[in-house]
Amino acid sequence: MKQKKELTGKRVLKIALLVVIGAIFLFCFMLYATVKTKSTSLSKITPFQEIINKPLTLVRDVELFVEEFPSNDDFPNLITDRYQRNFQNLHERLTIEEPDAKFIVKIPAGQQVVFSKATMYTNGVSGSSKPCLFGTINYGGNEYKVEYQWGDQSIGRRFDKIPESWSFPLAPWQSAIDLKFYKLPIAEWW
């Protein structure tokens, strides 16, 4: 029969130290998991599934910008036009002393964009979400990897717990706005 180890002060100190280190590690992991940006695929969700992997012809001119910190490093260029919420903001950011965005090129109507995926990003700190489309535009002998932030959530509908709270402003490939509201999933932890 094995004899139990005696509980000495040194052994108690080792156990306490392991518990403290484990608790610190667990706290850091939970803090990271809470504040990190979460994402989930929207590629099979309406209205995104209707446009993924299909060539879309632009009916209006668009402008491409590159931000210092893009949502997805594989798609560094932002598409915007005058109907998008970030249009004015991007132009104003060009005028600051050290701009964090740079104008790339204006692409005329008639060009095609093909989006290969759609992703919902939810900020871990603010909880705000943004749906983004990712794809490519070929223009002037160059291929541009692009992101298009598309979708606005109605705060009133969200607080009233109406699942269909997302609307979509007029996109550069649309000639008429879609007035319907849609239900989109919240971005998941992993």
Side-chain angles (χ1 to χ4, degrees):
M1 184 168 173
K2 278 190 168 180
Q3 190 177 12
K4 289 187 176 181
K5 289 188 177 181
E6 194 176 309
L7 207 55
T8 64
K10 195 174 190 180
R11 188 147 197 254
V12 168
L13 189 59
K14 284 182 181 178
I15 291 170
L17 188 60
L18 283 173
V19 168
V20 167
I21 289 171
I24 290 171
F25 175 77
L26 182 62
F27 173 77
C28 291
F29 173 75
M30 292 303 290
L31 183 63
Y32 168 77
T34 302
V35 299
K36 80 179 213 78
T37 299
K38 297 148 190 76
S39 64
T40 193
S41 175
L42 297 174
S43 296
K44 296 183 180 179
I45 308 289
T46 302
F48 298 99
Q49 71 181 4
E50 286 87 16
I51 60 176
I52 295 297
N53 296 320
K54 295 179 180 139
L56 305 169
T57 302
L58 300 174
V59 295
R60 283 181 303 287
D61 296 351
V62 296
E63 296 178 0
L64 293 186
F65 290 83
V66 64
E67 287 187 302
E68 190 173 348
F69 302 107
S71 300
N72 186 323
D73 291 334
D74 295 333
F75 300 88
N77 303 301
L78 279 178
I79 299 175
T80 190
D81 70 350
R82 66 183 180 269
Y83 292 105
Q84 195 172 11
R85 159 172 35 124
N86 70 353
F87 181 78
Q88 186 65 33
N89 177 272
L90 283 166
H91 280 274
E92 289 173 0
R93 288 167 54 193
L94 296 175
T95 63
I96 62 176
E97 191 171 314
E98 293 181 31
D100 60 350
K102 181 179 151 192
F103 176 77
I104 302 296
V105 67
K106 185 173 188 172
I107 298 178
Q111 302 301 311
Q112 288 189 330
V113 59
V114 178
F115 294 110
S116 55
K117 67 180 184 173
T119 304
M120 173 73 83
Y121 290 103
T122 300
N123 186 302
V125 177
S126 70
S128 63
S129 295
K130 67 176 181 179
C132 300
L133 288 159
F134 298 99
T136 58
I137 292 179
N138 292 304
Y139 175 69
N142 295 315
E143 180 180 80
Y144 297 98
K145 299 286 187 176
V146 297
E147 169 188 343
Y148 184 68
Q149 297 173 9
W150 191 41
D152 296 316
Q153 188 172 34
S154 166
I155 301 302
R157 291 176 74 92
R158 178 179 174 198
F159 283 123
D160 288 342
K161 303 208 183 308
I162 299 171
E164 294 79 15
S165 62
W166 287 90
S167 63
F168 295 91
L170 192 63
W173 59 88
Q174 293 176 315
S175 55
I177 192 166
D178 181 359
L179 298 175
K180 187 176 172 187
F181 281 91
Y182 295 88
K183 177 182 177 182
L184 297 182
I186 301 298
E188 298 171 2
W189 284 58
W190 304 106

